[in-house]
Amino acid sequence: MKHSEILELIDKVAETGIHSVEIEHAGTKVKIEGKSSTPAQVIHVGEMKSESAPLAVPSTPAQSEASKKEEKLRAEEESEAGLHIITSPIVGTFYRTPSPESPAFVNVGDRITKGKVLCIVEAMKLMNEIESDIDGVIAKIYPQNGQPVEYGEKLFAVKV
């Protein structure tokens, strides 16, 4: 393997968050192990001659996908401080409008009252109206129209 190919492989391991990769080519083995917050390590094992040393390729530290997601969640939680979160009570499909040609039930910035219909979650061909459980102003709408939602998934953030 060429030096550039090994560097490219290290970058791919770091980007994807794969724990380790081992490749054997023409009697040479290359094993790359990536960790969430440490740089990837390359260990070259092959036909060793007394004058040659193992190939160790340094790489730049890269965040794994898991640590990026954790960081995003922390930032999201901080931005939601002081907001009331309305979650989906059922699994289904999220709809912001009662019909395709109708306006949305609510938009960001709209003032809402307790009992106001915010959206519809369709489950098994039943249209379930999701109502507000609090008075406030819509700060954020999480799912896109027509997107599947899970039980407990965030639908709206409301400034109380």
Side-chain angles (χ1 to χ4, degrees), residues 60-119:
T60 58
Q63 289 183 324
S64 70
E65 289 296 315
S67 65
K68 287 180 183 178
K69 287 180 183 177
E70 288 174 18
E71 193 173 293
K72 184 179 176 182
L73 283 174
R74 267 188 257 119
E76 193 174 283
E77 286 174 1
E78 289 173 8
S79 70
E80 293 173 354
L83 297 177
H84 176 76
I85 304 298
I86 298 174
T87 60
S88 179
I90 56 175
V91 174
T93 304
F94 175 85
Y95 293 108
R96 292 189 58 200
T97 62
S99 66
E101 58 279 339
S102 300
F105 287 108
V106 293
N107 293 303
V108 174
D110 288 356
R111 177 161 292 287
I112 59 170
T113 58
K114 187 174 183 175
K116 167 130 176 82
V117 175
L118 303 175
C119 66

Side-chain angles (χ1 to χ4, degrees), residues 2 16 22-23 35-36 39 49 53 65 117 126 142 153:
K2 295 179 185 174
T16 59
E22 190 170 332
I23 297 175
K35 300 223 187 311
S36 62
K49 297 178 183 170
E65 289 296 315
V117 175
L126 294 174
Y142 293 96
E153 187 173 332

